[in-house]
Amino acid sequence: MKASDVRALSADQLNDELAKLKKEQFNLRFQKATGQLEKTARIDEVRKDIARIKTIARQKAAEAKA
């Protein structure tokens, strides 16, 4: 997910996407622990997407206060 795509989302959509990614991250970690994970790079992608969403959500919150 690109940063420009994330910036286009509203606060509610950001929260929904964040919840979805955290659930996916949990499932990927579970698959890794049980040896069923095939695409290990997806763990890093999801982690970075979560960080990207949190960063942009924090920026939007700061702009709303200012």
CSV table of all heavy atoms in Angstrom, one decimal:
chain,number,residue,atom,x,y,z
A,1,MET,N,0.8,-1.2,0.0
A,1,MET,CA,0.0,0.0,0.0
A,1,MET,C,0.9,1.2,0.0
A,1,MET,O,1.8,1.4,0.8
A,1,MET,CB,-0.9,0.0,1.2
A,1,MET,CG,-1.8,1.2,1.3
A,1,MET,SD,-3.0,1.0,2.7
A,1,MET,CE,-4.1,-0.2,2.0
A,2,LYS,N,0.6,2.1,-0.9
A,2,LYS,CA,1.4,3.3,-1.0
A,2,LYS,C,0.9,4.4,0.0
A,2,LYS,O,-0.2,4.4,0.4
A,2,LYS,CB,1.3,3.9,-2.4
A,2,LYS,CG,2.0,3.0,-3.5
A,2,LYS,CD,1.9,3.7,-4.8
A,2,LYS,CE,2.6,2.8,-5.8
A,2,LYS,NZ,2.7,3.4,-7.2
A,3,ALA,N,1.8,5.3,0.3
A,3,ALA,CA,1.5,6.4,1.3
A,3,ALA,C,0.4,7.3,0.7
A,3,ALA,O,-0.4,7.8,1.4
A,3,ALA,CB,2.7,7.2,1.6
A,4,SER,N,0.5,7.5,-0.6
A,4,SER,CA,-0.5,8.4,-1.2
A,4,SER,C,-1.9,7.7,-1.1
A,4,SER,O,-2.9,8.4,-1.0
A,4,SER,CB,-0.2,8.6,-2.7
A,4,SER,OG,-0.1,7.4,-3.4
A,5,ASP,N,-2.0,6.4,-1.2
A,5,ASP,CA,-3.3,5.7,-1.1
A,5,ASP,C,-3.8,5.9,0.4
A,5,ASP,O,-5.0,6.0,0.6
A,5,ASP,CB,-3.1,4.2,-1.4
A,5,ASP,CG,-2.8,4.0,-2.9
A,5,ASP,OD1,-3.0,4.9,-3.7
A,5,ASP,OD2,-2.2,2.9,-3.2
A,6,VAL,N,-2.9,5.8,1.3
A,6,VAL,CA,-3.2,5.8,2.7
A,6,VAL,C,-3.7,7.3,3.1
A,6,VAL,O,-4.7,7.4,3.8
A,6,VAL,CB,-2.1,5.4,3.6
A,6,VAL,CG1,-2.4,5.6,5.1
A,6,VAL,CG2,-1.7,4.0,3.4
A,7,ARG,N,-3.1,8.3,2.5
A,7,ARG,CA,-3.4,9.7,2.8
A,7,ARG,C,-4.8,10.0,2.3
A,7,ARG,O,-5.5,10.9,2.8
A,7,ARG,CB,-2.4,10.6,2.2
A,7,ARG,CG,-1.2,10.7,3.0
A,7,ARG,CD,-0.3,11.9,2.5
A,7,ARG,NE,0.9,12.1,3.3
A,7,ARG,CZ,2.0,11.4,3.3
A,7,ARG,NH1,2.1,10.3,2.5
A,7,ARG,NH2,2.9,11.6,4.2
A,8,ALA,N,-5.3,9.3,1.3
A,8,ALA,CA,-6.6,9.5,0.7
A,8,ALA,C,-7.7,9.0,1.6
A,8,ALA,O,-8.9,9.3,1.4
A,8,ALA,CB,-6.7,8.9,-0.7
A,9,LEU,N,-7.4,8.1,2.6
A,9,LEU,CA,-8.4,7.5,3.4
A,9,LEU,C,-8.8,8.4,4.6
A,9,LEU,O,-8.0,9.3,5.0
A,9,LEU,CB,-7.9,6.2,4.0
A,9,LEU,CG,-7.5,5.1,3.0
A,9,LEU,CD1,-6.9,3.9,3.7
A,9,LEU,CD2,-8.7,4.7,2.2
A,10,SER,N,-10.1,8.3,5.0
A,10,SER,CA,-10.5,9.0,6.2
A,10,SER,C,-10.0,8.3,7.5
A,10,SER,O,-9.5,7.2,7.4
A,10,SER,CB,-12.1,9.1,6.2
A,10,SER,OG,-12.6,7.8,6.5
A,11,ALA,N,-10.3,9.0,8.6
A,11,ALA,CA,-9.8,8.4,9.9
A,11,ALA,C,-10.5,7.1,10.2
A,11,ALA,O,-9.8,6.2,10.7
A,11,ALA,CB,-10.1,9.4,11.0
A,12,ASP,N,-11.8,7.0,9.9
A,12,ASP,CA,-12.4,5.7,10.1
A,12,ASP,C,-11.9,4.6,9.2
A,12,ASP,O,-11.7,3.5,9.6
A,12,ASP,CB,-14.0,5.9,9.9
A,12,ASP,CG,-14.6,6.7,11.0
A,12,ASP,OD1,-14.1,6.8,12.1
A,12,ASP,OD2,-15.7,7.3,10.7
A,13,GLN,N,-11.6,5.0,8.0
A,13,GLN,CA,-11.1,4.0,7.1
A,13,GLN,C,-9.7,3.6,7.5
A,13,GLN,O,-9.3,2.4,7.3
A,13,GLN,CB,-11.1,4.6,5.6
A,13,GLN,CG,-12.4,4.7,5.0
A,13,GLN,CD,-12.4,5.5,3.7
A,13,GLN,OE1,-11.6,6.4,3.5
A,13,GLN,NE2,-13.3,5.1,2.8
A,14,LEU,N,-8.9,4.5,8.0
A,14,LEU,CA,-7.6,4.2,8.5
A,14,LEU,C,-7.7,3.2,9.6
A,14,LEU,O,-6.9,2.2,9.7
A,14,LEU,CB,-6.8,5.4,8.9
A,14,LEU,CG,-6.3,6.3,7.9
A,14,LEU,CD1,-5.7,7.6,8.5
A,14,LEU,CD2,-5.3,5.6,7.0
A,15,ASN,N,-8.6,3.4,10.6
A,15,ASN,CA,-8.8,2.5,11.7
A,15,ASN,C,-9.2,1.1,11.2
A,15,ASN,O,-8.7,0.1,11.7
A,15,ASN,CB,-9.8,3.0,12.7
A,15,ASN,CG,-9.2,4.2,13.4
A,15,ASN,OD1,-8.0,4.4,13.6
A,15,ASN,ND2,-10.1,5.1,13.9
A,16,ASP,N,-10.1,1.0,10.3
A,16,ASP,CA,-10.5,-0.2,9.7
A,16,ASP,C,-9.4,-1.0,9.0
A,16,ASP,O,-9.2,-2.2,9.2
A,16,ASP,CB,-11.7,0.0,8.7
A,16,ASP,CG,-13.0,0.4,9.4
A,16,ASP,OD1,-13.1,0.3,10.6
A,16,ASP,OD2,-13.8,0.9,8.6
A,17,GLU,N,-8.6,-0.3,8.3
A,17,GLU,CA,-7.5,-0.9,7.6
A,17,GLU,C,-6.4,-1.3,8.6
A,17,GLU,O,-5.8,-2.4,8.4
A,17,GLU,CB,-6.9,0.2,6.6
A,17,GLU,CG,-5.8,-0.4,5.7
A,17,GLU,CD,-6.4,-1.4,4.7
A,17,GLU,OE1,-7.5,-1.3,4.3
A,17,GLU,OE2,-5.6,-2.3,4.2
A,18,LEU,N,-6.2,-0.6,9.6
A,18,LEU,CA,-5.2,-0.9,10.6
A,18,LEU,C,-5.7,-2.2,11.3
A,18,LEU,O,-4.9,-3.1,11.5
A,18,LEU,CB,-5.1,0.2,11.6
A,18,LEU,CG,-4.1,0.0,12.7
A,18,LEU,CD1,-2.7,-0.2,12.2
A,18,LEU,CD2,-4.1,1.2,13.7
A,19,ALA,N,-7.0,-2.3,11.7
A,19,ALA,CA,-7.5,-3.5,12.3
A,19,ALA,C,-7.3,-4.7,11.4
A,19,ALA,O,-6.9,-5.8,11.8
A,19,ALA,CB,-8.9,-3.3,12.7
A,20,LYS,N,-7.6,-4.5,10.1
A,20,LYS,CA,-7.5,-5.6,9.1
A,20,LYS,C,-6.0,-6.1,9.0
A,20,LYS,O,-5.7,-7.3,9.0
A,20,LYS,CB,-8.0,-5.2,7.8
A,20,LYS,CG,-8.0,-6.3,6.7
A,20,LYS,CD,-8.5,-5.7,5.4
A,20,LYS,CE,-7.3,-5.2,4.7
A,20,LYS,NZ,-7.4,-4.9,3.3
A,21,LEU,N,-5.1,-5.2,9.0
A,21,LEU,CA,-3.7,-5.5,8.9
A,21,LEU,C,-3.1,-6.2,10.1
A,21,LEU,O,-2.3,-7.1,10.0
A,21,LEU,CB,-2.8,-4.3,8.5
A,21,LEU,CG,-3.0,-3.7,7.1
A,21,LEU,CD1,-2.3,-2.4,7.0
A,21,LEU,CD2,-2.4,-4.7,6.1
A,22,LYS,N,-3.6,-5.7,11.3
A,22,LYS,CA,-3.2,-6.4,12.5
A,22,LYS,C,-3.7,-7.8,12.6
A,22,LYS,O,-2.9,-8.7,13.1
A,22,LYS,CB,-3.6,-5.6,13.7
A,22,LYS,CG,-2.8,-4.3,14.0
A,22,LYS,CD,-3.1,-3.7,15.3
A,22,LYS,CE,-2.2,-2.5,15.5
A,22,LYS,NZ,-2.2,-2.1,16.9
A,23,LYS,N,-4.9,-8.1,12.1
A,23,LYS,CA,-5.4,-9.4,12.1
A,23,LYS,C,-4.6,-10.3,11.1
A,23,LYS,O,-4.3,-11.4,11.4
A,23,LYS,CB,-6.9,-9.4,11.7
A,23,LYS,CG,-7.6,-10.7,11.8
A,23,LYS,CD,-9.1,-10.5,11.5
A,23,LYS,CE,-9.8,-11.8,11.8
A,23,LYS,NZ,-11.3,-11.6,11.7
A,24,GLU,N,-4.3,-9.7,10.0
A,24,GLU,CA,-3.4,-10.4,9.0
A,24,GLU,C,-2.1,-10.7,9.6
A,24,GLU,O,-1.5,-11.8,9.4
A,24,GLU,CB,-3.3,-9.6,7.7
A,24,GLU,CG,-2.5,-10.4,6.7
A,24,GLU,CD,-2.4,-9.6,5.3
A,24,GLU,OE1,-3.0,-8.5,5.2
A,24,GLU,OE2,-1.7,-10.1,4.5
A,25,GLN,N,-1.5,-9.8,10.3
A,25,GLN,CA,-0.2,-10.0,10.9
A,25,GLN,C,-0.2,-11.1,11.9
A,25,GLN,O,0.7,-11.9,11.9
A,25,GLN,CB,0.3,-8.7,11.6
A,25,GLN,CG,1.7,-8.8,12.2
A,25,GLN,CD,2.0,-7.5,12.9
A,25,GLN,OE1,1.2,-6.9,13.6
A,25,GLN,NE2,3.3,-7.1,12.8
A,26,PHE,N,-1.3,-11.2,12.7
A,26,PHE,CA,-1.4,-12.3,13.7
A,26,PHE,C,-1.5,-13.6,12.9
A,26,PHE,O,-0.8,-14.6,13.3
A,26,PHE,CB,-2.7,-12.0,14.5
A,26,PHE,CG,-3.0,-13.2,15.4
A,26,PHE,CD1,-2.3,-13.4,16.6
A,26,PHE,CD2,-4.0,-14.1,15.0
A,26,PHE,CE1,-2.6,-14.5,17.4
A,26,PHE,CE2,-4.2,-15.2,15.8
A,26,PHE,CZ,-3.5,-15.4,17.0
A,27,ASN,N,-2.3,-13.7,11.9
A,27,ASN,CA,-2.4,-14.9,11.1
A,27,ASN,C,-1.1,-15.3,10.5
A,27,ASN,O,-0.8,-16.5,10.5
A,27,ASN,CB,-3.5,-14.8,10.1
A,27,ASN,CG,-4.9,-14.7,10.7
A,27,ASN,OD1,-5.2,-15.2,11.7
A,27,ASN,ND2,-5.8,-14.0,10.0
A,28,LEU,N,-0.4,-14.3,10.0
A,28,LEU,CA,0.9,-14.7,9.4
A,28,LEU,C,1.9,-15.2,10.4
A,28,LEU,O,2.6,-16.2,10.2
A,28,LEU,CB,1.5,-13.4,8.7
A,28,LEU,CG,0.8,-13.0,7.4
A,28,LEU,CD1,1.3,-11.7,6.9
A,28,LEU,CD2,1.0,-14.0,6.3
A,29,ARG,N,1.9,-14.6,11.6
A,29,ARG,CA,2.8,-15.1,12.7
A,29,ARG,C,2.4,-16.5,13.1
A,29,ARG,O,3.3,-17.3,13.4
A,29,ARG,CB,2.7,-14.1,13.9
A,29,ARG,CG,3.5,-12.9,13.7
A,29,ARG,CD,3.7,-12.1,15.0
A,29,ARG,NE,2.7,-12.2,16.0
A,29,ARG,CZ,1.9,-11.2,16.4
A,29,ARG,NH1,2.1,-10.0,15.9
A,29,ARG,NH2,1.0,-11.4,17.3
A,30,PHE,N,1.1,-16.7,13.1
A,30,PHE,CA,0.6,-18.1,13.5
A,30,PHE,C,1.1,-19.1,12.4
A,30,PHE,O,1.5,-20.2,12.8
A,30,PHE,CB,-0.9,-18.1,13.6
A,30,PHE,CG,-1.4,-19.2,14.3
A,30,PHE,CD1,-1.5,-19.3,15.7
A,30,PHE,CD2,-1.9,-20.3,13.6
A,30,PHE,CE1,-2.0,-20.4,16.4
A,30,PHE,CE2,-2.4,-21.4,14.3
A,30,PHE,CZ,-2.5,-21.5,15.6
A,31,GLN,N,0.9,-18.7,11.2
A,31,GLN,CA,1.3,-19.6,10.1
A,31,GLN,C,2.8,-19.9,10.1
A,31,GLN,O,3.3,-21.0,9.9
A,31,GLN,CB,1.0,-19.0,8.7
A,31,GLN,CG,-0.5,-19.0,8.4
A,31,GLN,CD,-0.8,-18.4,7.1
A,31,GLN,OE1,0.1,-18.0,6.3
A,31,GLN,NE2,-2.1,-18.2,6.8
A,32,LYS,N,3.6,-18.9,10.5
A,32,LYS,CA,5.1,-19.0,10.6
A,32,LYS,C,5.4,-20.0,11.7
A,32,LYS,O,6.3,-20.9,11.5
A,32,LYS,CB,5.7,-17.7,10.8
A,32,LYS,CG,7.2,-17.8,10.8
A,32,LYS,CD,7.9,-16.4,11.0
A,32,LYS,CE,9.4,-16.5,11.1
A,32,LYS,NZ,10.0,-15.2,11.5
A,33,ALA,N,4.7,-19.9,12.8
A,33,ALA,CA,5.0,-20.7,14.0
A,33,ALA,C,4.7,-22.2,13.7
A,33,ALA,O,5.4,-23.1,14.2
A,33,ALA,CB,4.3,-20.2,15.2
A,34,THR,N,3.7,-22.4,12.9
A,34,THR,CA,3.3,-23.8,12.6
A,34,THR,C,3.9,-24.3,11.3
A,34,THR,O,3.7,-25.5,10.9
A,34,THR,CB,1.7,-23.9,12.4
A,34,THR,OG1,1.3,-23.0,11.4
A,34,THR,CG2,1.0,-23.5,13.7
A,35,GLY,N,4.8,-23.5,10.7
A,35,GLY,CA,5.5,-24.0,9.5
A,35,GLY,C,4.6,-24.0,8.2
A,35,GLY,O,5.0,-24.6,7.3
A,36,GLN,N,3.5,-23.2,8.2
A,36,GLN,CA,2.7,-23.2,7.0
A,36,GLN,C,2.9,-22.0,6.1
A,36,GLN,O,2.3,-21.9,5.1
A,36,GLN,CB,1.2,-23.3,7.4
A,36,GLN,CG,0.8,-24.5,8.2
A,36,GLN,CD,-0.6,-24.5,8.7
A,36,GLN,OE1,-1.3,-23.5,8.6
A,36,GLN,NE2,-1.0,-25.6,9.3
A,37,LEU,N,3.7,-21.1,6.5
A,37,LEU,CA,3.9,-19.8,5.8
A,37,LEU,C,4.8,-20.0,4.6
A,37,LEU,O,5.9,-20.6,4.7
A,37,LEU,CB,4.5,-18.8,6.7
A,37,LEU,CG,4.6,-17.4,6.1
A,37,LEU,CD1,3.3,-16.8,5.8
A,37,LEU,CD2,5.3,-16.5,7.1
A,38,GLU,N,4.3,-19.6,3.4
A,38,GLU,CA,5.1,-19.8,2.2
A,38,GLU,C,5.7,-18.5,1.8
A,38,GLU,O,6.9,-18.5,1.3
A,38,GLU,CB,4.2,-20.3,1.1
A,38,GLU,CG,3.6,-21.7,1.3
A,38,GLU,CD,2.7,-22.2,0.2
A,38,GLU,OE1,2.7,-21.5,-0.9
A,38,GLU,OE2,2.1,-23.2,0.4
A,39,LYS,N,5.0,-17.4,1.9
A,39,LYS,CA,5.5,-16.1,1.5
A,39,LYS,C,6.0,-15.3,2.7
A,39,LYS,O,5.2,-14.5,3.2
A,39,LYS,CB,4.4,-15.4,0.7
A,39,LYS,CG,4.9,-14.2,-0.1
A,39,LYS,CD,3.8,-13.6,-0.9
A,39,LYS,CE,4.3,-12.4,-1.6
A,39,LYS,NZ,3.1,-11.7,-2.4
A,40,THR,N,7.2,-15.5,3.1
A,40,THR,CA,7.7,-14.9,4.4
A,40,THR,C,7.9,-13.4,4.2
A,40,THR,O,7.8,-12.6,5.2
A,40,THR,CB,9.0,-15.5,4.8
A,40,THR,OG1,10.0,-15.3,3.7
A,40,THR,CG2,8.9,-17.0,5.1
A,41,ALA,N,8.0,-12.9,3.0
A,41,ALA,CA,8.2,-11.4,2.9
A,41,ALA,C,6.9,-10.7,3.2
A,41,ALA,O,7.0,-9.5,3.5
A,41,ALA,CB,8.6,-11.1,1.4
A,42,ARG,N,5.8,-11.3,3.2
A,42,ARG,CA,4.5,-10.7,3.5
A,42,ARG,C,4.5,-10.1,4.9
A,42,ARG,O,3.9,-9.1,5.2
A,42,ARG,CB,3.4,-11.6,3.2
A,42,ARG,CG,2.0,-11.0,3.4
A,42,ARG,CD,1.7,-10.0,2.4
A,42,ARG,NE,0.4,-9.4,2.7
A,42,ARG,CZ,0.1,-8.1,2.5
A,42,ARG,NH1,1.0,-7.3,1.9
A,42,ARG,NH2,-1.1,-7.7,2.8
A,43,ILE,N,5.2,-10.8,5.8
A,43,ILE,CA,5.3,-10.3,7.2
A,43,ILE,C,5.8,-8.9,7.3
A,43,ILE,O,5.3,-8.0,7.9
A,43,ILE,CB,6.1,-11.3,8.1
A,43,ILE,CG1,5.3,-12.7,8.2
A,43,ILE,CG2,6.3,-10.7,9.5
A,43,ILE,CD1,6.1,-13.7,8.9
A,44,ASP,N,7.0,-8.7,6.6
A,44,ASP,CA,7.6,-7.4,6.5
A,44,ASP,C,6.7,-6.3,5.9
A,44,ASP,O,6.6,-5.2,6.3
A,44,ASP,CB,8.9,-7.4,5.8
A,44,ASP,CG,10.0,-8.2,6.7
A,44,ASP,OD1,9.8,-8.2,7.9
A,44,ASP,OD2,10.9,-8.7,6.1
A,45,GLU,N,6.0,-6.7,4.8
A,45,GLU,CA,5.1,-5.8,4.1
A,45,GLU,C,4.0,-5.3,5.0
A,45,GLU,O,3.7,-4.1,5.0
A,45,GLU,CB,4.6,-6.5,2.8
A,45,GLU,CG,5.5,-6.8,1.7
A,45,GLU,CD,4.9,-7.6,0.6
A,45,GLU,OE1,3.7,-7.8,0.6
A,45,GLU,OE2,5.7,-8.0,-0.3
A,46,VAL,N,3.4,-6.3,5.7
A,46,VAL,CA,2.3,-5.9,6.6
A,46,VAL,C,2.8,-5.0,7.7
A,46,VAL,O,2.1,-4.1,8.1
A,46,VAL,CB,1.6,-7.2,7.1
A,46,VAL,CG1,0.6,-6.9,8.2
A,46,VAL,CG2,0.9,-8.0,6.0
A,47,ARG,N,4.0,-5.4,8.3
A,47,ARG,CA,4.5,-4.6,9.4
A,47,ARG,C,4.7,-3.1,8.9
A,47,ARG,O,4.4,-2.2,9.6
A,47,ARG,CB,5.8,-5.2,9.9
A,47,ARG,CG,6.3,-4.7,11.2
A,47,ARG,CD,7.6,-5.4,11.6
A,47,ARG,NE,8.6,-4.5,11.2
A,47,ARG,CZ,9.6,-4.8,10.4
A,47,ARG,NH1,9.6,-6.1,9.9
A,47,ARG,NH2,10.6,-4.0,10.0
A,48,LYS,N,5.3,-3.0,7.7
A,48,LYS,CA,5.6,-1.6,7.2
A,48,LYS,C,4.3,-0.9,6.9
A,48,LYS,O,4.2,0.3,7.1
A,48,LYS,CB,6.5,-1.7,6.0
A,48,LYS,CG,7.9,-2.1,6.4
A,48,LYS,CD,8.8,-2.2,5.2
A,48,LYS,CE,10.1,-2.7,5.6
A,48,LYS,NZ,11.0,-2.9,4.5
A,49,ASP,N,3.3,-1.6,6.4
A,49,ASP,CA,2.0,-1.0,6.1
A,49,ASP,C,1.3,-0.5,7.4
A,49,ASP,O,0.7,0.6,7.5
A,49,ASP,CB,1.0,-1.9,5.4
A,49,ASP,CG,1.4,-2.1,3.9
A,49,ASP,OD1,2.1,-1.3,3.4
A,49,ASP,OD2,0.9,-3.1,3.3
A,50,ILE,N,1.4,-1.3,8.5
A,50,ILE,CA,0.9,-0.9,9.8
A,50,ILE,C,1.6,0.4,10.3
A,50,ILE,O,0.9,1.4,10.7
A,50,ILE,CB,1.0,-2.0,10.8
A,50,ILE,CG1,0.1,-3.1,10.5
A,50,ILE,CG2,0.8,-1.5,12.2
A,50,ILE,CD1,0.3,-4.4,11.3
A,51,ALA,N,2.9,0.5,10.1
A,51,ALA,CA,3.6,1.7,10.6
A,51,ALA,C,3.3,2.9,9.7
A,51,ALA,O,3.1,4.0,10.2
A,51,ALA,CB,5.1,1.4,10.4
A,52,ARG,N,3.1,2.6,8.4
A,52,ARG,CA,2.7,3.7,7.5
A,52,ARG,C,1.3,4.3,7.9
A,52,ARG,O,1.1,5.5,7.9
A,52,ARG,CB,2.7,3.2,6.1
A,52,ARG,CG,2.5,4.2,5.0
A,52,ARG,CD,2.7,3.6,3.6
A,52,ARG,NE,4.1,3.2,3.4
A,52,ARG,CZ,4.4,1.9,3.1
A,52,ARG,NH1,3.5,1.0,3.0
A,52,ARG,NH2,5.7,1.6,3.0
A,53,ILE,N,0.4,3.4,8.2
A,53,ILE,CA,-1.0,3.9,8.6
A,53,ILE,C,-0.9,4.6,9.9
A,53,ILE,O,-1.6,5.7,10.0
A,53,ILE,CB,-1.9,2.7,8.6
A,53,ILE,CG1,-2.2,2.2,7.2
A,53,ILE,CG2,-3.2,3.1,9.3
A,53,ILE,CD1,-3.1,1.0,7.1
A,54,LYS,N,-0.2,4.1,10.9
A,54,LYS,CA,-0.1,4.8,12.1
A,54,LYS,C,0.5,6.2,12.0
A,54,LYS,O,0.1,7.1,12.6
A,54,LYS,CB,0.7,3.9,13.1
A,54,LYS,CG,0.0,2.8,13.7
A,54,LYS,CD,0.8,2.1,14.7
A,54,LYS,CE,0.1,1.0,15.4
A,54,LYS,NZ,0.9,0.3,16.5
A,55,THR,N,1.5,6.3,11.2
A,55,THR,CA,2.2,7.6,11.0
A,55,THR,C,1.3,8.6,10.4
A,55,THR,O,1.2,9.7,10.8
A,55,THR,CB,3.5,7.4,10.1
A,55,THR,OG1,4.4,6.5,10.7
A,55,THR,CG2,4.2,8.7,9.9
A,56,ILE,N,0.6,8.2,9.3
A,56,ILE,CA,-0.3,9.1,8.6
A,56,ILE,C,-1.5,9.5,9.5
A,56,ILE,O,-1.9,10.6,9.5
A,56,ILE,CB,-0.7,8.6,7.3
A,56,ILE,CG1,0.5,8.5,6.4
A,56,ILE,CG2,-1.8,9.4,6.6
A,56,ILE,CD1,0.4,7.8,5.1
A,57,ALA,N,-2.0,8.5,10.3
A,57,ALA,CA,-3.1,8.8,11.2
A,57,ALA,C,-2.7,9.8,12.3
A,57,ALA,O,-3.4,10.8,12.6
A,57,ALA,CB,-3.6,7.5,11.9
A,58,ARG,N,-1.4,9.7,12.7
A,58,ARG,CA,-0.9,10.6,13.7
A,58,ARG,C,-0.7,12.0,13.1
A,58,ARG,O,-1.0,13.0,13.7
A,58,ARG,CB,0.4,10.1,14.3
A,58,ARG,CG,0.9,11.0,15.4
A,58,ARG,CD,2.1,10.5,16.1
A,58,ARG,NE,1.8,9.2,16.7
A,58,ARG,CZ,2.6,8.3,17.1
A,58,ARG,NH1,3.9,8.4,16.9
A,58,ARG,NH2,2.2,7.2,17.7
A,59,GLN,N,-0.3,12.1,11.9
A,59,GLN,CA,-0.1,13.4,11.2
A,59,GLN,C,-1.5,14.0,11.0
A,59,GLN,O,-1.6,15.2,11.2
A,59,GLN,CB,0.5,13.2,9.8
A,59,GLN,CG,2.0,12.8,9.9
A,59,GLN,CD,2.6,12.4,8.5
A,59,GLN,OE1,1.8,12.3,7.5
A,59,GLN,NE2,3.9,12.3,8.5
A,60,LYS,N,-2.5,13.3,10.6
A,60,LYS,CA,-3.8,13.8,10.4
A,60,LYS,C,-4.4,14.3,11.7
A,60,LYS,O,-5.1,15.4,11.8
A,60,LYS,CB,-4.8,12.8,9.8
A,60,LYS,CG,-4.5,12.6,8.3
A,60,LYS,CD,-5.6,11.7,7.7
A,60,LYS,CE,-5.4,11.5,6.2
A,60,LYS,NZ,-6.5,11.0,5.6
A,61,ALA,N,-4.1,13.6,12.8
A,61,ALA,CA,-4.6,14.0,14.1
A,61,ALA,C,-3.9,15.3,14.6
A,61,ALA,O,-4.6,16.2,15.1
A,61,ALA,CB,-4.4,13.0,15.2
A,62,ALA,N,-2.7,15.5,14.3
A,62,ALA,CA,-1.9,16.7,14.6
A,62,ALA,C,-2.4,17.9,13.8
A,62,ALA,O,-2.5,19.0,14.3
A,62,ALA,CB,-0.4,16.5,14.4
A,63,GLU,N,-2.7,17.6,12.5
A,63,GLU,CA,-3.3,18.7,11.7
A,63,GLU,C,-4.6,19.2,12.2
A,63,GLU,O,-5.0,20.3,12.1
A,63,GLU,CB,-3.4,18.2,10.2
A,63,GLU,CG,-2.1,18.1,9.5
A,63,GLU,CD,-2.2,17.5,8.2
A,63,GLU,OE1,-3.4,17.2,7.7
A,63,GLU,OE2,-1.2,17.2,7.5
A,64,ALA,N,-5.4,18.2,12.7
A,64,ALA,CA,-6.8,18.6,13.1
A,64,ALA,C,-6.7,19.4,14.4
A,64,ALA,O,-7.6,20.3,14.6
A,64,ALA,CB,-7.6,17.3,13.4
A,65,LYS,N,-5.7,19.2,15.2
A,65,LYS,CA,-5.6,20.0,16.5
A,65,LYS,C,-5.0,21.4,16.2
A,65,LYS,O,-5.3,22.3,16.9
A,65,LYS,CB,-4.6,19.3,17.4
A,65,LYS,CG,-5.2,18.1,18.1
A,65,LYS,CD,-4.3,17.5,19.1
A,65,LYS,CE,-5.0,16.3,19.8
A,65,LYS,NZ,-4.1,15.7,20.8
A,66,ALA,N,-4.2,21.5,15.2
A,66,ALA,CA,-3.5,22.8,14.9
A,66,ALA,C,-4.5,23.7,14.1
A,66,ALA,O,-5.5,23.5,13.8
A,66,ALA,CB,-2.3,22.5,14.0
